[in-house]
Amino acid sequence: MCGIFAITSNRRQDIGQILVEGAEKLTYRGYDTVGVATVHKGRILLRKDKGRIEEVAAKLGLAEMPGHKGIAQLRWATFGAPSKVNAQPHFDCDKDIAGAHNGNIVNYLPLRELYTSEGHIIRSMNDGEICVHAVERYYDKIGDMVEAIRKGCGDLRGDYAFAIMHKDDDKVYAVKMGSSLFAGIGEGETCVSSDLPSILPVTRNILNVHDGEMLILSPESIEIRQISDNSVVERSPYISDADIRVAQKGGYPHFMLKEIHEQASSARSLFNAVREPYITNFEQALIDAERIFFVGCGSSYHATSVASYYFNDLAGLSAIPVVGGQFISQFGQTIRKGDVVVCVSQSGETKDIIDVVHHCKERNSRILSIVNVLGSTLTYLSDIYLPLGCGFEISVPATKTYTSQVILFAYIAARIGIKQGVLSKDMGETLLDELQTQLPDLLEQTIATTTVKARSLAPYLDQFPHFYVLGYGLTHGVALEGALKIKEVCYIVADGMYSSEFKHGPLSIVKEGYPIVFTVAPNDAEHLVNHLSEVECRGARIILTAEDNSLLKRYVAEEDYLAVPSSSHYLSPIIQAVPLQLLAYHLAVFKKIDPDYPRNISKTLTVR
Ligand code: BG6
């Protein structure tokens, strides 16, 4: 994933400053390279290099770049190694035009050959540069940027969003074609960005952009056109109430720790975000479904794993959890009308998920989704979507959005269970009440009771380049998620697995002192005794998250027992994610790794 931020203004001549500020708020979208292009006195100035925004901005004086309009880009490398020449923005051949993209131009190589054969000077190995030459190819003939952009988009294949500008006008142009893009209309200036945090300091007057649309930004206004036929699109802006402070650390050392602590409040805000009639319609679609698939990537996939157990137990419905990138090859031929696919994505932009949506819509199956970022591509491709209402999640590893996804699935499963008579009204209402009133406090208590032990385990775990995280039943998905957190921020091969499966092979890894992490839900403690015993008797050191349980304590030293507050069985998968998040966070800090921006990965991957 990459991030673009562009602005045109009639009240700034030091545009570099706001471009850098906007880019800083997109750091989580990419930190391999960063660049800024501005237009000053009829010339395009372009400064870019490999490295994070704060390093490159200081080295090249990005904030001091003069001009009245400009484009900033942060890159997560896909095509072309992270290097100065592959950094964005890019020039056209004769440096009259500059542009930058976020996304994936799949026909990059044939276009590179075609444009080169036509005499274009293509300087990089980055697909973003092709967007600029695609526009230049037609501009040189037509002399009109809008028409040149429309025709240039006709050359491009893939999912992308780009911002582009010509040195001779006061405009910035932007295109949304499968990757995220938002726009803002300020006082005497307008801007576009891959995400809202960089727009809000300029303006809260936000304009949603849909795929297939082009924006023409002037300092006073933004015009929307359909790329297909150049027709004008009328759409009113709205005032965003998103809290920009969310995008600041608020006194925490890292966004990841801040967002772990925000889970109680995001659990509360979830129930304000989910509204009628959408949730009832969402549930009815599931009740009416012939088959149900839950589809997600990364942490969102792990939420679907826990959700499938909830639906089995509480709703009496079978739901198949599937990894986004796997869905089309595994179910693509059999998906059909009557099936319901629930896509789970905090960003609403993950390409592996968007591809599933397009595939399933072509086969007339219904698309429901659970999304955090409003206005994202997934929200308007879905028949019904439910918002998480978590606010911005900045840290690359998901935490609060993951737990809110799981909470929402538990809530929906319980409501369906009551409607369908699978749950007694009493049991169902009790669970709904626990989710809405008790859970936030239990999350806060869990942080309080497990932080010290989680932090004290870091020096021990730091000795191991790999270990296992095992779960059972409802906590299977929790084990997968805990293992992913450790992989993401500690660069350790932590393997999440079903605990009953461990004896079928992986058990061979165990030797004296080897760490095995277990996460155990209240009703499953007895099932786990054998699994604990088989590793303990071979010398493993067991680290365990569960509520206080004398049976379990026989296998675990006091300092390794991360006791969570007692709760209903069905709340435990939500609560027990927290100690594993804290274990990963503190181990990362111990290893001097920045947990917010781990190497090589990105918050949202808009490439397949
Ligand atoms: C990955 C992120 O790129 O995408 C994960 O590193 C995330 O943290 C996954 O869980 C899915 O993202 P989303 O936005 O679809 O939930």
Side-chain angles (χ1 to χ4, degrees), residues 176-303:
K176 182 179 181 348
M177 198 68 85
S179 290
S180 63
L181 195 71
F182 297 85
I185 304 167
E187 293 298 321
E189 54 194 14
T190 57
C191 58
V192 284
S193 176
S194 301
D195 265 338
L196 275 177
S198 49
I199 293 179
L200 295 178
V202 175
T203 178
R204 290 186 169 278
N205 198 21
I206 303 303
L207 193 59
N208 272 342
V209 193
H210 289 181
D211 284 331
E213 295 177 347
M214 173 202 317
L215 300 184
I216 305 165
L217 289 85
S218 306
E220 298 299 338
S221 63
I222 296 179
E223 191 179 346
I224 309 174
R225 298 278 182 89
Q226 277 294 352
I227 291 169
S228 56
D229 61 8
N230 204 24
S231 59
V232 175
V233 175
E234 297 298 337
R235 186 173 300 131
S236 304
Y238 67 92
I239 300 301
S240 167
D241 60 1
D243 180 351
I244 186 61
R245 283 171 302 133
V246 168
Q248 312 305 326
K249 289 182 185 169
Y252 288 90
H254 299 100
F255 283 116
M256 184 177 177
L257 188 61
K258 175 172 180 279
E259 288 155 3
I260 289 170
H261 280 256
E262 281 179 344
Q263 291 180 113
S265 62
S266 48
R268 292 186 188 95
S269 54
L270 169 68
F271 296 106
N272 299 324
V274 170
R275 300 260 165 79
E276 291 296 0
Y278 308 106
I279 186 162
T280 295
N281 296 344
F282 192 101
E283 291 157 357
Q284 194 56 51
L286 292 169
I287 292 167
D288 298 341
E290 284 174 26
R291 296 186 301 172
I292 301 171
F293 296 92
F294 292 158
V295 187
C297 298
S299 300
S300 296
Y301 166 65
H302 300 150

Side-chain angles (χ1 to χ4, degrees), residues 24-257:
E24 283 168 344
K25 293 184 178 56
L26 298 176
T27 302
Y28 58 95
R29 294 186 67 89
Y31 31 94
D32 288 331
T33 67
V34 66
V36 168
T38 67
V39 172
H40 177 57
K41 293 182 178 169
R43 279 186 58 235
I44 298 179
L45 310 176
L46 176 60
R47 299 178 194 173
K48 59 184 183 177
D49 207 345
K50 178 178 178 181
R52 294 176 57 141
I53 175 83
E54 56 272 15
E55 298 155 4
V56 177
K59 185 166 77 171
L60 301 183
L62 300 182
E64 290 71 49
M65 292 176 74
H68 59 87
K69 66 180 184 178
I71 299 171
Q73 203 271 2
L74 299 102
R75 188 166 170 247
W76 178 79
T78 315
F79 280 101
S83 65
K84 177 170 184 165
V85 70
N86 287 331
Q88 301 194 54
H90 293 285
F91 275 126
D92 68 342
C93 299
D94 41 18
K95 301 190 179 181
D96 292 338
I97 297 172
H101 97 318
N102 163 40
N104 195 10
I105 308 300
V106 295
N107 62 333
Y108 155 71
L109 289 173
L111 281 184
R112 192 179 202 283
E113 287 161 17
L114 171 64
Y115 295 170
T116 303
S117 71
E118 293 176 350
H120 283 255
I121 304 162
I122 299 181
R123 303 174 182 89
S124 79
M125 290 305 291
N126 172 252
D127 58 335
E129 185 179 0
I130 284 302
C131 299
V132 182
H133 290 282
V135 173
E136 176 189 29
R137 185 179 190 225
Y138 297 97
Y139 183 78
D140 287 351
K141 296 172 196 159
I142 309 168
D144 174 84
M145 281 296 280
V146 172
E147 204 49 30
I149 291 165
R150 288 186 58 233
K151 291 186 179 306
C153 288
D155 286 4
L156 304 173
R157 298 283 174 275
D159 289 274
Y160 58 89
F162 68 76
I164 194 163
M165 61 186 182
H166 192 286
K167 68 181 178 62
D168 293 340
D169 65 29
D170 66 349
K171 293 183 173 44
V172 167
Y173 306 86
V175 165
K176 182 179 181 348
M177 198 68 85
S179 290
S180 63
L181 195 71
F182 297 85
I185 304 167
E187 293 298 321
E189 54 194 14
T190 57
C191 58
V192 284
S193 176
S194 301
D195 265 338
L196 275 177
S198 49
I199 293 179
L200 295 178
V202 175
T203 178
R204 290 186 169 278
N205 198 21
I206 303 303
L207 193 59
N208 272 342
V209 193
H210 289 181
D211 284 331
E213 295 177 347
M214 173 202 317
L215 300 184
I216 305 165
L217 289 85
S218 306
E220 298 299 338
S221 63
I222 296 179
E223 191 179 346
I224 309 174
R225 298 278 182 89
Q226 277 294 352
I227 291 169
S228 56
D229 61 8
N230 204 24
S231 59
V232 175
V233 175
E234 297 298 337
R235 186 173 300 131
S236 304
Y238 67 92
I239 300 301
S240 167
D241 60 1
D243 180 351
I244 186 61
R245 283 171 302 133
V246 168
Q248 312 305 326
K249 289 182 185 169
Y252 288 90
H254 299 100
F255 283 116
M256 184 177 177
L257 188 61

Side-chain angles (χ1 to χ4, degrees), residues 296-301 344-350 353 396-398 401 405 484-485 488 601-605:
C297 298
S299 300
S300 296
Y301 166 65
V344 183
S345 172
Q346 89 80 22
S347 64
E349 300 296 346
T350 294
I353 298 300
V396 168
T401 56
Q405 289 165 347
L484 176 62
K485 289 287 126 338
E488 284 177 312
I601 57 179
S602 171
K603 185 68 184 168
T604 307
L605 286 176

Side-chain angles (χ1 to χ4, degrees), residues 17 109 357 526 575:
Q17 180 64 39
L109 289 173
V357 172
E526 286 184 8
I575 293 167

Side-chain angles (χ1 to χ4, degrees), residues 11 44 49 56 73 102 104 211 216 295 335 341 378 419 456 476 507 532 535 554 568:
R11 58 190 191 83
I44 298 179
D49 207 345
V56 177
Q73 203 271 2
N102 163 40
N104 195 10
D211 284 331
I216 305 165
V295 187
I335 197 76
V341 178
L378 185 56
K419 275 178 202 160
S456 61
H476 175 210
L507 181 60
L532 292 165
V535 297
R554 289 183 201 157
S568 124

Side-chain angles (χ1 to χ4, degrees), residues 290-291 334-340 360 363-366:
E290 284 174 26
R291 296 186 301 172
T334 58
I335 197 76
R336 57 185 181 265
K337 185 175 172 55
D339 290 340
V340 170
C360 294
R363 286 160 177 76
N364 303 311
S365 48
R366 290 199 77 183

